[in-house]
Amino acid sequence: MGSMQTVIPKILVIDDVHANLKAMRVLLKDIAAEVMTADSGNNGLALALEEHVTLILLDVNMPGMDGFEVAQLLGEMEETRHIPIIFITAFQNDEEKRLKGYSAGAIDYIQKPVNPDILLSKIHIFLNMWTLRFGLEQEISRRREVEKEIEYLAQHDALTHLPNRRQLHIEIERLIDRTTRTKEKFAVLFLDLDGFKRINDELGHEAGDAFLRDVADRFREQIRSFDVIARYGGDEFIILLSDLSDSLALTNRLRQLTAQAQLPFCWEGNDLSAGVSIGISVFPDHGTDGDTLIKRADAAMYLAKDAGKNTFRFYTDDLNKSLQRRLLLERHIQDSLSNDELDVFYQPIVNIHDGLPVGAESLLRWNSSDLGRVSPAEFIPVAENCGMIQQLGIWVLRQSVATMQQCPGIAFSVNASALQFNDNNLCAELISLLESGSLAADKTAIEITEGLLLSNTGDVDARLEKIRQMGIGLSIDDFGTGYSALGYLKRCPVNRIKIDRTFVAGIPEDTESVALVQAIIAMGHALGLEVIAEGVETEQQWHFLRDERCDMAQGYYFSPPLPQQEFIEYLQCSR
């Protein structure tokens, strides 16, 4: 609650005669106010702007800037226009001067020589008026603070200071309105702490309250500024997450929340911890109003409880199946290398003119003993998400080098995830292979994505340049499908681009595909880059690309990806 301030009024005396200023100080010594003096109009204006002045006693006849000009300037400024001014003047019964003073902003006149009783009487009147006005302003200010506090308490939980159930429903309706307009989705997360009752029962409500405050702070730190977290009641929280374009990002957020709930909290020497079960509903898939979305997230939370607690579940079976599949893949891929379930296949890259193989792209394949064959489109994002991609990338590179030694004259392209450019492991491995003599730099290319080029960070650029300085080629995979990297190509150390298969699939019938492919080939050659077409499946596509002077091609028309031994046999048959 706000408290009434005690503020001492301030009286400013402006007069160019120092003896007059001194006399005024003596006259006003018993007034319950702070007296300030200024010996010129300029100094008086400066003080009036700097200090919260209650009343100004202003001499009319001053050199330079007279009292009329000072009053006029004070009246023109927002900060000073409401300060009452009493003119001190030697003019006797000069009506014209009086009118000029009033029009300049004076509210009263005192004649020189000053009668002390008249001066003090008028000052008391103005100070009393100021006290009444100031008190009213203070009361208004206090009431506003009280209203703000009442409004805050009506919207927030007193224990955690998070939005409460009432405010949550307001936030959901706002998010529904905004998301409906943008045709996007948002998630409602219903969080229920596992094991909180035990903390309350064993250590008391004070410990339980302290733990709730701590967990609320942890949860708050895990969400973005534009997301919402609210305390729904007891040990239940609800989080609204907007922008669901990335399912992996959502999964990571859910994992972070479960991890935060498990962190210990020390209370009087005891480490308190609990888990959290989370149910998720998605707008508009699972409901189009707040009540329905919360009920369905609540129902999904009980699925998480049934699944063993400290986990999360989506409301629909389809989403649950997708999530379970992802978690299953993540669990099994950790053991894929040690279980010898991985293999590298090689898809030939041919010279466009005669169709003879000149290179190959190394492609990772996973045949799980429990899950069967898993598509790279499915397991590569999982490997990136769980931190396995670095290890897998190095393994594929080493397998490719071993195959390269059996295939003289053939150039090998190895895909690298953008995450492999977050540190120096890839560069260090390439240097090691070059120094050992097992890697031929001029027969090796690293394939990267457009998105990596556009990350435009100094570390990434330095690592790309380092690879080129080793004499190893750099190729942009799936060119044209992500973002426009044309401007970057001028200064990027790549020497090859690969036309994405979605463009190749439309030639020669689709005019848009034809135009795009022609443009990419022309642009690549203009920049001194080799151009490879991916996904060639028909003779017509091959002939079109050959006529457009594309450099190389790969696709099922020439050969599917092959295991190492079959690839070697393919090369032998092609000679």
Side-chain angles (χ1 to χ4, degrees), residues 157 159-160 162 193 196 199-200 205-219 231 233-237 265 272:
D157 169 56
L159 178 65
T160 63
L162 295 176
L193 296 179
F196 177 72
I199 293 173
N200 250 352
H205 290 289
E206 192 177 351
D209 287 350
F211 182 69
L212 281 174
R213 283 193 294 268
D214 186 67
V215 168
D217 289 340
R218 293 185 217 163
F219 288 163
R231 186 181 180 200
D235 60 346
E236 297 171 339
F237 299 86
F265 169 67
L272 314 182

Side-chain angles (χ1 to χ4, degrees), residues 256-523:
Q256 289 163 0
L257 289 167
T258 55
Q260 288 297 320
Q262 288 181 295
L263 292 175
F265 169 67
C266 186
W267 172 261
E268 295 182 349
N270 298 294
D271 278 343
L272 314 182
S273 64
V276 65
S277 295
I278 307 175
I280 307 103
S281 64
V282 177
F283 172 88
D285 302 359
H286 309 147
T288 55
D289 64 86
D291 287 336
T292 302
L293 289 165
I294 291 172
K295 284 176 185 175
R296 292 184 170 174
D298 188 11
M301 183 271 293
Y302 282 102
L303 290 176
K305 293 273 189 192
D306 293 342
K309 300 183 179 180
N310 206 55
T311 187
F312 47 89
R313 289 293 182 270
F314 287 91
Y315 177 71
T316 61
D317 287 340
D318 287 344
L319 282 168
N320 271 319
K321 285 175 184 174
S322 172
L323 176 64
Q324 290 309 306
R325 173 69 173 174
R326 189 178 295 278
L327 295 174
L328 189 65
L329 291 175
E330 189 170 307
R331 191 164 66 248
H332 283 279
I333 203 170
Q334 304 282 356
D335 301 319
S336 59
L337 271 174
S338 58
N339 291 344
D340 199 25
E341 297 173 348
L342 297 174
D343 199 1
V344 178
F345 279 40
Y346 303 89
Q347 185 168 34
I349 297 172
V350 304
N351 184 306
I352 200 75
H353 300 294
D354 53 23
L356 294 177
V358 292
E361 180 180 0
S362 303
L363 299 164
L364 182 60
R365 295 292 183 263
W366 180 23
N367 187 12
S368 168
S369 56
D370 293 318
L371 307 175
R373 291 193 179 277
V374 185
S375 162
E378 193 177 18
F379 75 75
I380 292 296
V382 172
E384 289 179 328
N385 191 53
C386 71
M388 276 282 289
I389 197 65
Q390 296 272 20
Q391 186 180 359
L392 295 181
I394 297 297
W395 185 83
V396 171
L397 179 61
R398 290 174 181 172
Q399 297 298 309
S400 301
V401 168
T403 304
M404 180 188 297
Q405 292 169 344
Q406 301 181 54
C407 306
I410 297 297
F412 284 77
S413 295
V414 179
N415 291 284
S417 164
L419 297 178
Q420 289 180 263
F421 289 86
N422 288 343
D423 57 39
N424 292 317
N425 289 340
L426 176 59
C427 287
E429 181 66 22
L430 289 169
I431 291 170
S432 175
L433 291 169
L434 283 169
E435 290 176 347
S436 69
S438 52
L439 177 71
D442 62 338
K443 294 297 180 183
T444 308
I446 301 297
E447 293 197 11
I448 58 178
T449 63
E450 285 182 274
L452 177 66
L453 300 185
L454 294 170
S455 65
N456 200 23
T457 66
D459 288 344
V460 168
D461 288 353
R463 288 173 184 131
L464 288 172
E465 186 57 41
K466 191 171 185 179
I467 290 172
R468 284 296 292 130
Q469 287 174 0
M470 296 177 201
I472 295 170
L474 283 169
S475 175
I476 302 179
D477 197 16
D478 302 333
F479 186 81
T481 58
Y483 307 89
S484 175
L486 303 184
Y488 194 89
L489 283 176
K490 291 182 180 178
R491 57 187 179 87
C492 176
V494 299
N495 57 353
R496 178 184 291 174
I497 55 177
K498 299 183 78 172
I499 305 174
D500 185 68
R501 66 186 66 249
T502 56
F503 303 140
V504 174
I507 59 174
E509 296 86 3
D510 182 68
T511 54
E512 286 188 5
S513 296
V514 166
L516 279 167
V517 169
Q518 288 173 330
I520 293 172
I521 293 171
M523 181 207 64

Side-chain angles (χ1 to χ4, degrees), residues 8 11 16 22 28 53 72 87 98 133 197 209 228 241 266 271 284 335 366 370 415 433 467 496 556 561 568:
I8 298 173
I11 299 174
D16 63 308
K22 194 170 183 180
L28 303 178
V53 175
Q72 190 170 356
F87 271 149
R98 284 180 178 275
R133 192 188 74 183
K197 185 175 183 299
D209 287 350
V228 175
L241 294 180
C266 186
D271 278 343
D335 301 319
W366 180 23
D370 293 318
N415 291 284
L433 291 169
I467 290 172
R496 178 184 291 174
Y556 275 70
I568 293 171

Side-chain angles (χ1 to χ4, degrees), residues 535-567:
V536 178
E537 298 186 356
T538 69
E539 187 176 7
Q540 290 80 8
Q541 290 170 347
W542 174 30
H543 289 167
F544 173 86
L545 292 162
R546 184 181 62 191
D547 293 342
E548 293 297 327
R549 302 176 68 184
C550 188
D551 299 296
M552 288 168 274
Q554 70 182 94
Y556 275 70
Y557 177 72
F558 305 105
S559 171
L562 300 169
Q564 184 199 54
Q565 194 53 45
E566 289 183 32
F567 173 67

Side-chain angles (χ1 to χ4, degrees), residues 12-15 36-51 53 56 58 62 65 70 74 77 80 83:
L12 172 60
V13 183
I14 305 174
D15 196 314
M36 300 178 296
T37 58
D39 59 5
S40 71
N42 279 326
N43 291 340
L45 285 171
L47 272 174
L49 280 168
E50 290 170 10
E51 307 284 347
V53 175
I56 295 176
L58 178 57
M62 292 187 294
M65 186 187 300
V70 173
L74 288 168
M77 291 184 286
T80 57
I83 303 173

